[in-house]
Every structure is written in structure tokens, then in C-alpha cells.
Amino acid sequence: MNLSRTAAVAALSGAAFSLPVAAQAARYEIDADHSTAQFAVKHMMVATVRGEFTMLSGVVNIDDKNLKQSSIEATFDAGTINTRVEKRDAHLRSADFFDVAKFPKVVFKSTAVKKTGAGTYAVTGNLTLHGVTKAVVLAVESPANEVKDPYGNVKRGAVATTTINRKDFGLNWNVALEAGGVLVSDAVKVTLELELVRKDLTTTASR
């Protein structure tokens, strides 16, 4: 092989190694043991009642360099609603509210992710609740840093909030108060505190 041919091969090899590699979104699953799906509503216009769904699952794909590759899908078991009062929880599971016999799941699927600041995002998606699907926007805080737990699992955190009108989803039950106002507010604040475990890497069981 002459020198000119050697130089050409070297140049081509260098060019091949310098080509940009297509980045893939990191895949995470919601760690249900360390995550919560909470909601808050006004009661009698004077106090706030808080509750949560105790069973949740989902997959989050995050590509910090190309947000079009990012997505969120989360599912909540409506039957696991817990407000710390069993009588109230039974009413919420009934046909007056969630009607869990007909609509056992609450599902959110993202349609767009937009960066709004350092570690903050606006995530637009479809929320399916009580058999009705509506577009909602989640305000998400998720710093890009990852941490490794004592068992070798790679974790990342996220907090998502939004406020919905329950009547948009057919949750219309209410009682008018004698002094004015209603028993339960239409506005419901939703907060998701998520711990995500990375699944496109080899990891071990978490605790």
C-alpha cells in the first residue's frame, strides 16, 4: 500500500469515527414504591381535602438534547383512591364520582414536551378520566442529574403539577350549601411526585 492510499484510508476512518451518533432517549419506569399521585380539592369552600391513588405505573422517555424524543405515559388505579376516610373513599369510588366499576383506570399520555427553563418543562398530553379524554398541560420539574442508589439502580426525579376542572370529565356530583357555595370545588389540583428508575441500563432490584 502506498503512502497516498494509506493517508486516504486513515482520513476515511477518522471521518467515520467523527460522525455524530444518533442519540436515544433514556427509558425510565415509575418506581411506585417511591412515587405518589396526589390530588387536592376544597371542601365546603373553607378547607382542603387531600388524597392519592396508591397504585401507579408508567414509562418515561427522556432525551434532554431532543425533546421530541421524550414522552410520558402514566396509569393510576382509580380503585386505590385514599383520602384517609373509608366512607368518603367508598363514595368517591361510586357512580357519583369515579365509577371505578366502569372506569378502573386513570391514564395520562403525553403528546408534546417543551422546555420552559433550567430543569423545567411543559408537558402537554391527553388525560383519560371517568371515560372522558381531555388535553391537559403538566408543569414538570426534572433536573437532568441522575443518581445511583445503593443497589446499582440509576434514578432521576420529577414533580408534575396541574389543575383540572372535574366537571370537564363528567364528575358533576355536588351539594349546594345553605350559606352559599358548594360542598366540593370544581377545581382539583393534581401533584405527581415521581422517582424514576432507568431501564435501558443493567440494574438490580430496588428497595
Side-chain angles (χ1 to χ4, degrees):
M1 181 181 292
N2 58 40
L3 291 177
S4 59
R5 185 178 178 185
T6 301
V9 170
L12 288 172
S13 299
F17 282 109
S18 66
L19 289 174
V21 178
Q24 293 183 342
R27 182 179 181 274
Y28 302 83
E29 290 182 3
I30 295 174
D31 183 345
D33 291 340
H34 302 101
S35 301
T36 59
Q38 303 172 328
F39 60 89
V41 297
K42 283 291 185 182
H43 180 252
M44 296 186 66
M45 318 306 292
V46 296
T48 299
V49 171
R50 304 181 191 278
E52 65 176 334
F53 299 106
T54 60
M55 289 183 62
L56 62 157
S57 61
V59 175
V60 179
N61 296 296
I62 303 175
D63 188 335
D64 291 298
K65 295 183 179 180
N66 183 6
L67 289 180
K68 291 183 179 180
Q69 300 297 319
S70 299
S71 63
I72 300 171
E73 182 171 340
T75 300
F76 316 103
D77 186 335
T80 67
I81 194 167
N82 178 23
T83 65
R84 300 181 296 112
V85 178
E86 179 52 40
K87 185 176 180 180
R88 179 169 60 208
D89 294 343
H91 190 198
L92 290 170
R93 295 186 192 104
S94 75
D96 282 344
F97 284 97
F98 287 93
D99 198 358
V100 299
K102 289 184 179 179
F103 311 108
K105 303 294 183 183
V106 179
V107 179
F108 175 82
K109 294 183 179 180
S110 68
T111 55
V113 180
K114 179 181 179 182
K115 191 174 183 65
T116 56
T120 62
Y121 307 85
V123 179
T124 303
N126 293 318
L127 177 65
T128 301
L129 168 63
H130 193 241
V132 178
T133 300
K134 294 283 186 180
V136 301
V137 179
L138 303 179
V140 178
E141 297 180 20
S142 181
N145 59 299
E146 294 178 328
V147 297
K148 186 176 288 187
D149 71 14
Y151 310 99
N153 298 287
V154 176
K155 301 288 188 75
R156 181 170 177 170
V159 179
T161 59
T162 192
T163 299
I164 63 173
N165 186 322
R166 63 188 180 91
K167 287 186 176 180
D168 289 343
F169 298 89
L171 301 176
N172 299 314
W173 185 92
N174 222 330
V175 174
L177 300 176
E178 184 177 339
V182 291
L183 187 66
V184 183
S185 66
D186 293 340
V188 181
K189 183 176 181 179
V190 180
T191 303
L192 307 179
E193 296 266 1
L194 303 178
E195 185 169 305
L196 309 173
V197 56
R198 190 162 177 172
K199 289 298 183 178
D200 57 345
L201 300 173
T202 301
T203 57
T204 58
S206 178
R207 294 184 183 179

mmCIF file with all atom_site columns, all heavy atoms in Angstrom, residues 177-189:
data_model
loop_
_atom_site.group_PDB
_atom_site.id
_atom_site.type_symbol
_atom_site.label_atom_id
_atom_site.label_alt_id
_atom_site.label_comp_id
_atom_site.label_asym_id
_atom_site.label_entity_id
_atom_site.label_seq_id
_atom_site.pdbx_PDB_ins_code
_atom_site.Cartn_x
_atom_site.Cartn_y
_atom_site.Cartn_z
_atom_site.occupancy
_atom_site.B_iso_or_equiv
_atom_site.pdbx_formal_charge
_atom_site.auth_seq_id
_atom_site.auth_comp_id
_atom_site.auth_asym_id
_atom_site.auth_atom_id
_atom_site.pdbx_PDB_model_num
ATOM 1  N N   . LEU A 1 177 ? -74.649 24.567 49.372 1.00 0.00 ? 177 LEU A N   1
ATOM 2  C CA  . LEU A 1 177 ? -74.636 24.898 50.788 1.00 0.00 ? 177 LEU A CA  1
ATOM 3  C C   . LEU A 1 177 ? -75.659 25.985 51.090 1.00 0.00 ? 177 LEU A C   1
ATOM 4  O O   . LEU A 1 177 ? -75.890 26.899 50.280 1.00 0.00 ? 177 LEU A O   1
ATOM 5  C CB  . LEU A 1 177 ? -73.244 25.371 51.207 1.00 0.00 ? 177 LEU A CB  1
ATOM 6  C CG  . LEU A 1 177 ? -72.104 24.368 50.999 1.00 0.00 ? 177 LEU A CG  1
ATOM 7  C CD1 . LEU A 1 177 ? -70.770 25.010 51.372 1.00 0.00 ? 177 LEU A CD1 1
ATOM 8  C CD2 . LEU A 1 177 ? -72.339 23.105 51.833 1.00 0.00 ? 177 LEU A CD2 1
ATOM 9  N N   . GLU A 1 178 ? -76.258 25.903 52.249 1.00 0.00 ? 178 GLU A N   1
ATOM 10 C CA  . GLU A 1 178 ? -77.297 26.860 52.635 1.00 0.00 ? 178 GLU A CA  1
ATOM 11 C C   . GLU A 1 178 ? -76.763 28.285 52.663 1.00 0.00 ? 178 GLU A C   1
ATOM 12 O O   . GLU A 1 178 ? -77.457 29.239 52.287 1.00 0.00 ? 178 GLU A O   1
ATOM 13 C CB  . GLU A 1 178 ? -77.846 26.487 54.011 1.00 0.00 ? 178 GLU A CB  1
ATOM 14 C CG  . GLU A 1 178 ? -78.988 27.351 54.480 1.00 0.00 ? 178 GLU A CG  1
ATOM 15 C CD  . GLU A 1 178 ? -79.558 26.901 55.815 1.00 0.00 ? 178 GLU A CD  1
ATOM 16 O OE1 . GLU A 1 178 ? -79.349 25.724 56.182 1.00 0.00 ? 178 GLU A OE1 1
ATOM 17 O OE2 . GLU A 1 178 ? -80.200 27.731 56.488 1.00 0.00 ? 178 GLU A OE2 1
ATOM 18 N N   . ALA A 1 179 ? -75.511 28.427 53.075 1.00 0.00 ? 179 ALA A N   1
ATOM 19 C CA  . ALA A 1 179 ? -74.925 29.768 53.168 1.00 0.00 ? 179 ALA A CA  1
ATOM 20 C C   . ALA A 1 179 ? -74.323 30.233 51.847 1.00 0.00 ? 179 ALA A C   1
ATOM 21 O O   . ALA A 1 179 ? -73.734 31.314 51.764 1.00 0.00 ? 179 ALA A O   1
ATOM 22 C CB  . ALA A 1 179 ? -73.853 29.791 54.256 1.00 0.00 ? 179 ALA A CB  1
ATOM 23 N N   . GLY A 1 180 ? -74.459 29.426 50.815 1.00 0.00 ? 180 GLY A N   1
ATOM 24 C CA  . GLY A 1 180 ? -73.872 29.754 49.522 1.00 0.00 ? 180 GLY A CA  1
ATOM 25 C C   . GLY A 1 180 ? -72.665 28.891 49.230 1.00 0.00 ? 180 GLY A C   1
ATOM 26 O O   . GLY A 1 180 ? -72.026 28.366 50.142 1.00 0.00 ? 180 GLY A O   1
ATOM 27 N N   . GLY A 1 181 ? -72.359 28.723 47.958 1.00 0.00 ? 181 GLY A N   1
ATOM 28 C CA  . GLY A 1 181 ? -71.246 27.867 47.581 1.00 0.00 ? 181 GLY A CA  1
ATOM 29 C C   . GLY A 1 181 ? -71.671 26.409 47.498 1.00 0.00 ? 181 GLY A C   1
ATOM 30 O O   . GLY A 1 181 ? -72.860 26.074 47.580 1.00 0.00 ? 181 GLY A O   1
ATOM 31 N N   . VAL A 1 182 ? -70.692 25.532 47.344 1.00 0.00 ? 182 VAL A N   1
ATOM 32 C CA  . VAL A 1 182 ? -70.968 24.109 47.169 1.00 0.00 ? 182 VAL A CA  1
ATOM 33 C C   . VAL A 1 182 ? -70.069 23.288 48.082 1.00 0.00 ? 182 VAL A C   1
ATOM 34 O O   . VAL A 1 182 ? -69.080 23.782 48.627 1.00 0.00 ? 182 VAL A O   1
ATOM 35 C CB  . VAL A 1 182 ? -70.747 23.680 45.695 1.00 0.00 ? 182 VAL A CB  1
ATOM 36 C CG1 . VAL A 1 182 ? -71.812 24.282 44.795 1.00 0.00 ? 182 VAL A CG1 1
ATOM 37 C CG2 . VAL A 1 182 ? -69.356 24.056 45.217 1.00 0.00 ? 182 VAL A CG2 1
ATOM 38 N N   . LEU A 1 183 ? -70.445 22.022 48.240 1.00 0.00 ? 183 LEU A N   1
ATOM 39 C CA  . LEU A 1 183 ? -69.715 21.143 49.143 1.00 0.00 ? 183 LEU A CA  1
ATOM 40 C C   . LEU A 1 183 ? -68.308 20.839 48.640 1.00 0.00 ? 183 LEU A C   1
ATOM 41 O O   . LEU A 1 183 ? -67.347 20.819 49.411 1.00 0.00 ? 183 LEU A O   1
ATOM 42 C CB  . LEU A 1 183 ? -70.493 19.834 49.319 1.00 0.00 ? 183 LEU A CB  1
ATOM 43 C CG  . LEU A 1 183 ? -69.958 18.856 50.373 1.00 0.00 ? 183 LEU A CG  1
ATOM 44 C CD1 . LEU A 1 183 ? -70.103 19.454 51.766 1.00 0.00 ? 183 LEU A CD1 1
ATOM 45 C CD2 . LEU A 1 183 ? -70.697 17.521 50.272 1.00 0.00 ? 183 LEU A CD2 1
ATOM 46 N N   . VAL A 1 184 ? -68.179 20.601 47.317 1.00 0.00 ? 184 VAL A N   1
ATOM 47 C CA  . VAL A 1 184 ? -66.897 20.197 46.731 1.00 0.00 ? 184 VAL A CA  1
ATOM 48 C C   . VAL A 1 184 ? -66.546 21.144 45.594 1.00 0.00 ? 184 VAL A C   1
ATOM 49 O O   . VAL A 1 184 ? -67.377 21.408 44.712 1.00 0.00 ? 184 VAL A O   1
ATOM 50 C CB  . VAL A 1 184 ? -66.947 18.753 46.190 1.00 0.00 ? 184 VAL A CB  1
ATOM 51 C CG1 . VAL A 1 184 ? -65.575 18.332 45.659 1.00 0.00 ? 184 VAL A CG1 1
ATOM 52 C CG2 . VAL A 1 184 ? -67.424 17.779 47.275 1.00 0.00 ? 184 VAL A CG2 1
ATOM 53 N N   . SER A 1 185 ? -65.320 21.638 45.570 1.00 0.00 ? 185 SER A N   1
ATOM 54 C CA  . SER A 1 185 ? -64.909 22.562 44.499 1.00 0.00 ? 185 SER A CA  1
ATOM 55 C C   . SER A 1 185 ? -64.806 21.837 43.167 1.00 0.00 ? 185 SER A C   1
ATOM 56 O O   . SER A 1 185 ? -64.570 20.626 43.105 1.00 0.00 ? 185 SER A O   1
ATOM 57 C CB  . SER A 1 185 ? -63.567 23.203 44.837 1.00 0.00 ? 185 SER A CB  1
ATOM 58 O OG  . SER A 1 185 ? -62.526 22.230 44.843 1.00 0.00 ? 185 SER A OG  1
ATOM 59 N N   . ASP A 1 186 ? -64.984 22.585 42.083 1.00 0.00 ? 186 ASP A N   1
ATOM 60 C CA  . ASP A 1 186 ? -64.793 22.023 40.745 1.00 0.00 ? 186 ASP A CA  1
ATOM 61 C C   . ASP A 1 186 ? -63.303 21.864 40.435 1.00 0.00 ? 186 ASP A C   1
ATOM 62 O O   . ASP A 1 186 ? -62.903 20.915 39.749 1.00 0.00 ? 186 ASP A O   1
ATOM 63 C CB  . ASP A 1 186 ? -65.436 22.922 39.690 1.00 0.00 ? 186 ASP A CB  1
ATOM 64 C CG  . ASP A 1 186 ? -66.948 22.954 39.797 1.00 0.00 ? 186 ASP A CG  1
ATOM 65 O OD1 . ASP A 1 186 ? -67.522 22.012 40.403 1.00 0.00 ? 186 ASP A OD1 1
ATOM 66 O OD2 . ASP A 1 186 ? -67.563 23.914 39.295 1.00 0.00 ? 186 ASP A OD2 1
ATOM 67 N N   . ALA A 1 187 ? -62.497 22.784 40.910 1.00 0.00 ? 187 ALA A N   1
ATOM 68 C CA  . ALA A 1 187 ? -61.059 22.755 40.628 1.00 0.00 ? 187 ALA A CA  1
ATOM 69 C C   . ALA A 1 187 ? -60.375 21.685 41.479 1.00 0.00 ? 187 ALA A C   1
ATOM 70 O O   . ALA A 1 187 ? -60.593 21.595 42.689 1.00 0.00 ? 187 ALA A O   1
ATOM 71 C CB  . ALA A 1 187 ? -60.437 24.116 40.903 1.00 0.00 ? 187 ALA A CB  1
ATOM 72 N N   . VAL A 1 188 ? -59.553 20.882 40.838 1.00 0.00 ? 188 VAL A N   1
ATOM 73 C CA  . VAL A 1 188 ? -58.795 19.831 41.515 1.00 0.00 ? 188 VAL A CA  1
ATOM 74 C C   . VAL A 1 188 ? -57.322 20.013 41.160 1.00 0.00 ? 188 VAL A C   1
ATOM 75 O O   . VAL A 1 188 ? -56.952 20.000 39.981 1.00 0.00 ? 188 VAL A O   1
ATOM 76 C CB  . VAL A 1 188 ? -59.248 18.422 41.081 1.00 0.00 ? 188 VAL A CB  1
ATOM 77 C CG1 . VAL A 1 188 ? -58.457 17.350 41.818 1.00 0.00 ? 188 VAL A CG1 1
ATOM 78 C CG2 . VAL A 1 188 ? -60.747 18.244 41.299 1.00 0.00 ? 188 VAL A CG2 1
ATOM 79 N N   . LYS A 1 189 ? -56.499 20.202 42.172 1.00 0.00 ? 189 LYS A N   1
ATOM 80 C CA  . LYS A 1 189 ? -55.062 20.314 41.938 1.00 0.00 ? 189 LYS A CA  1
ATOM 81 C C   . LYS A 1 189 ? -54.436 18.929 41.998 1.00 0.00 ? 189 LYS A C   1
ATOM 82 O O   . LYS A 1 189 ? -54.649 18.170 42.951 1.00 0.00 ? 189 LYS A O   1
ATOM 83 C CB  . LYS A 1 189 ? -54.402 21.226 42.973 1.00 0.00 ? 189 LYS A CB  1
ATOM 84 C CG  . LYS A 1 189 ? -52.918 21.433 42.718 1.00 0.00 ? 189 LYS A CG  1
ATOM 85 C CD  . LYS A 1 189 ? -52.292 22.417 43.700 1.00 0.00 ? 189 LYS A CD  1
ATOM 86 C CE  . LYS A 1 189 ? -50.803 22.610 43.385 1.00 0.00 ? 189 LYS A CE  1
ATOM 87 N NZ  . LYS A 1 189 ? -50.169 23.582 44.326 1.00 0.00 ? 189 LYS A NZ  1
#
